[in-house]
Amino acid sequence: MKLSIYYSESTDPSFNQAIEETLLKQVNGNNIIAFLWQNQRSVNIGKDQNPWRVCKPKLLRSENINIVRRHTIGGAIYQDLTHTNIALIGPTHYLTQGIIEKILIDTFEPLKIDIAVSDNLECLVENKKNF
C-alpha cells in the first residue's frame, strides 16, 4: 500500500472539489490518497440534492456564500476557513478503521498538529473537534 498526501493551498470550493474528483479518478491498485483542504464560506451539497430544498440560495447569494455540488452523495454542509476537510480515496478493503486512524495521524504530523481520532473517525485536538 502506498499513501500519497496532498494539501491544497486554494480556498476556492469549486477548485478543491474539482481536485478531489480528479484524484478520485486517478487512484488505482493499492494506492491511497489523503487530500486536505479548506474552503471559503460555502455550502456544499450532495450530487443528488436540490439546492432550493436544502438551503436558501437567494440568502446565500446576498451573503456572498457559494453553493458547490459534490460528486458524492450526502447532506448540505456549511464550510468556512475554520473547517478542515480530508478525503481518503482508495480501495475500500484497505480503508479499515485502524488504517484510517493511522493515515489521519500521519497526515497531520508534518503540519505539527497532534491529533487524536474519535471512534467515529473525527480528528480531535485537545479533545475538541474544531481546531
Side-chain angles (χ1 to χ4, degrees):
M1 174 182 73
K2 178 185 172 195
L3 173 64
S4 301
I5 302 171
Y6 297 92
Y7 305 96
S8 176
E9 293 182 4
S10 173
T11 60
D12 179 329
S14 296
F15 177 82
N16 288 329
Q17 191 58 52
I19 295 298
E20 182 186 24
E21 188 169 355
T22 299
L23 291 172
L24 182 63
K25 293 176 181 175
Q26 298 296 319
V27 76
N28 58 43
N30 52 345
N31 296 326
I32 294 177
I33 296 172
F35 175 52
L36 281 86
W37 73 98
Q38 292 178 302
N39 285 336
Q40 299 164 1
R41 293 175 13 162
S42 60
V43 174
N44 296 317
I45 62 174
K47 69 177 186 171
D48 298 325
Q49 287 190 299
N50 180 334
W52 290 272
R53 291 186 139 184
V54 297
C55 56
K56 298 178 180 178
K58 286 183 182 179
L59 175 62
L60 294 174
R61 190 174 317 118
S62 73
E63 296 288 327
N64 293 320
I65 299 173
N66 292 319
I67 299 173
V68 180
R69 184 175 301 282
R70 291 189 305 279
H71 58 275
T72 57
I73 61 172
I77 302 169
Y78 173 78
Q79 297 178 350
D80 61 21
L81 294 176
T82 67
H83 182 102
T84 302
N85 298 283
I86 182 167
L88 297 178
I89 304 166
T92 55
H93 64 277
Y94 280 124
L95 294 174
T96 64
Q97 181 147 349
I99 294 291
I100 292 171
E101 286 180 26
K102 180 168 179 19
I103 290 170
L104 292 173
I105 291 168
D106 291 351
T107 298
F108 283 94
E109 185 177 25
L111 299 172
K112 306 286 188 244
I113 299 172
D114 187 27
I115 68 162
V117 180
S118 71
D119 290 340
N120 56 349
L121 301 174
E122 295 174 316
C123 297
L124 307 173
V125 175
E126 297 175 359
N127 289 324
K128 297 177 185 171
K129 270 183 17 176
N130 299 326
F131 56 91

